């Protein structure tokens, strides 16, 4: 059942109005053309008669001095063959506007008042046919009057009249036919507009239902493509589908992130709780005490790092992170990070080295603590995914515009299809590995705040190279 409300009503209404205006305009112009065509044919016939009468009876050559007005009129009437077969009705009028001979050849003394007669008797040059109605019969006619001259003096006029009754009837029939055709066109247009409205509304209805499912958390729903065409609505539908897929991925990532964070929190807390209880035993040895305190310290630092990452993520998500801009010695910062993480790399027998391409590295403007955080995140990430006996190289270079820090390892590498996702929040290629999945995402945002960018290249089973480029000149301080 059709409901003529909302968008459907607007589409049909506007479409129908356009069709009505188009049909009306077309029929009006067509009727105007038809009427002019028929009327113009009569008008041309009357003009030809005027020219003939003037050339034969009103030229100086034909104006014989002894010819009277009655003789000239008789001559004209004889040549016009007055009767039922004549297409003109002829009236002879004297200079006092009295009708001498009517269309049937009968002499009468009725007076006539007509614009064309007045022009003829006044000797006007623009003898143009005019349309009028006969008062007695209400008949629609077209007529023109021609002056009759005797010795170049107007003694009267001869009036040619053509009835427009049959022409008007023909035009009326054509008009009725056009009205009927217009009604048929409007009916067809209404049917087409209904169909046209359905082709627009039905996909929108499906999109609405699809959006409702999304609003209720059903992100795995598939959109029916039976009524979706390859146009703007189709593009909108594809956008909806893509959005649902991305939301679904995001939800899964969040679920995996929560699961990972829960594990990351539970593991150190369990260790801390277990060893704190163990240290309470009276018979514990000194070696066990040192071991327990060391584990508690390591797990506490792990928790602190995890909490800091979550806080940084929260600040970045709400644009509340604050950079403390100062002069930074990148060379000294890189050496410090290497010394700090040397112990962890040695535990896995990983060679951790730093190399400076430029002999002199100029100081740059930036947040020293945040840049150290970025480099630590990158190196720790490499240590986590590099097997025993591997290597990690930090390469520092500088040109006029950028200071570049490159961290290269021969670790596990990243699958090609995951390269663009690694810098996304919550993403981890291997959720069995420890970590929150926020380190690289946070580092990337910090680098962006410094007006730089992070470039990642990797090949599965070969290794990873992460390049950080930071502008040498600080443009503006970014604060929350």
């Amino acid at each position: 059942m059709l409901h003529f409300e909302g968008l459907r009503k607007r589409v049909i209404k506007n479409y129908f109005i356009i069709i009505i205006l188009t049909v009306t305009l077309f029929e009006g112009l067509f009727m105007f053309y038809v009427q002019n065509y028929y009327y113009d044919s009569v008008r041309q016939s009357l003009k030809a008669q005027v020219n003939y009468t003037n050339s034969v009876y009103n030229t100086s050559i034909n104006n014989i001095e002894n010819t009277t007005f009655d003789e000239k009129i008789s001559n004209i009437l004889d040549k016009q063959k007055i009767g039922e077969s004549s297409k003109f009705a002829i009236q002879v009028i004297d200079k006092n506007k009295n009708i001498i001979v009517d269309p049937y050849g009968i002499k009468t003394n009725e007076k006539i008042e007509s614009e064309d007669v007045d022009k003829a008797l006044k000797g006007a040059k623009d003898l143009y046919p005019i349309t009028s109605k006969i008062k007695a019969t209400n008949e629609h006619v077209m007529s023109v009057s021609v002056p009759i001259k005797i010795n170049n003096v107007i003694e009267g006029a001869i009036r040619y009249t053509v009835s427009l009754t049959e022409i008007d009837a023909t035009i009326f029939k054509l008009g009725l036919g056009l009205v009927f055709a217009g009604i048929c066109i409007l009916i067809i247009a209404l049917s087409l507009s209904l169909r046209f409205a359905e082709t627009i509304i039905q996909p929108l209805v499906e999109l609405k239902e699809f959006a409702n499912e999304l609003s209720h958390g059903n992100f795995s729903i598939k959109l029916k493509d039976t009524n979706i065409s390859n146009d703007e609505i189709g593009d909108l539908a594809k956008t909806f589908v893509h959005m649902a897929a991305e939301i679904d991925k995001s939800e899964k990532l969040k679920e995996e992130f929560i699961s990972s964070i829960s594990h990351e929190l539970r593991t150190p807390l369990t260790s801390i709780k277990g060893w704190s209880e163990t240290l309470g035993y009276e018979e514990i040895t000194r070696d066990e005490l040192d071991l327990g305190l060391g584990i508690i310290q390591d797990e506490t630092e792990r928790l602190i790092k995890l909490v800091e990452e979550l806080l940084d993520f929260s600040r970045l998500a709400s644009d509340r992170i604050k950079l403390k801009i100062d002069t930074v010695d990148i060379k000294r910062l890189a050496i410090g990070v290497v010394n700090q993480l040397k112990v962890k790399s040695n535990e896995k027998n990983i060679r951790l080295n730093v190399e400076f391409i430029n002999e002199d590295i100029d100081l740059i403007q930036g947040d020293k603590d945040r840049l150290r955080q970025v480099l630590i995140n990158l190196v720790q990430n490499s240590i986590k995914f590099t097997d025993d006996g591997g290597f990690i190289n930090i390469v520092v270079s500088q040109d006029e515009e950028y200071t570049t820090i490159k961290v290269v390892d021969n670790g596990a590498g990243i699958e090609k299809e995951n390269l663009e996702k690694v810098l996304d929040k919550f993403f981890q290629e291997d959720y069995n590995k420890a970590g929150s999945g926020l380190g690289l995402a946070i580092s990337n945002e910090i680098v962006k705040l410094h007006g730089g960018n992070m470039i990642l290249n990797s090949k599965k089973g070969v290794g990873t190279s992460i390049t950080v480029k930071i502008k040498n000149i600080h443009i503006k301080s970014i604060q929350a």
Side-chain angles (χ1 to χ4, degrees), residues 1 7 18 52 75 87 155 157 162 180 202 229 268 286 358 360 373 393 439 459:
M1 183 178 178
L7 184 59
I18 292 172
Y52 173 77
N75 188 19
K87 64 178 181 179
E155 296 294 339
V162 176
F180 178 75
Q202 190 56 39
S229 54
R286 181 65 189 180
N358 305 80
D360 295 320
Q373 178 185 353
N393 290 332
K459 188 174 182 181

Side-chain angles (χ1 to χ4, degrees), residues 364-365 401-403 450-453 469-475:
I364 65 171
Q365 294 291 312
E401 188 175 2
Y402 289 100
T403 296
H450 281 83
N453 64 308
K469 299 173 74 71
I470 301 172
K471 280 185 175 292
N472 293 332
I473 301 174
H474 179 69
I475 298 175

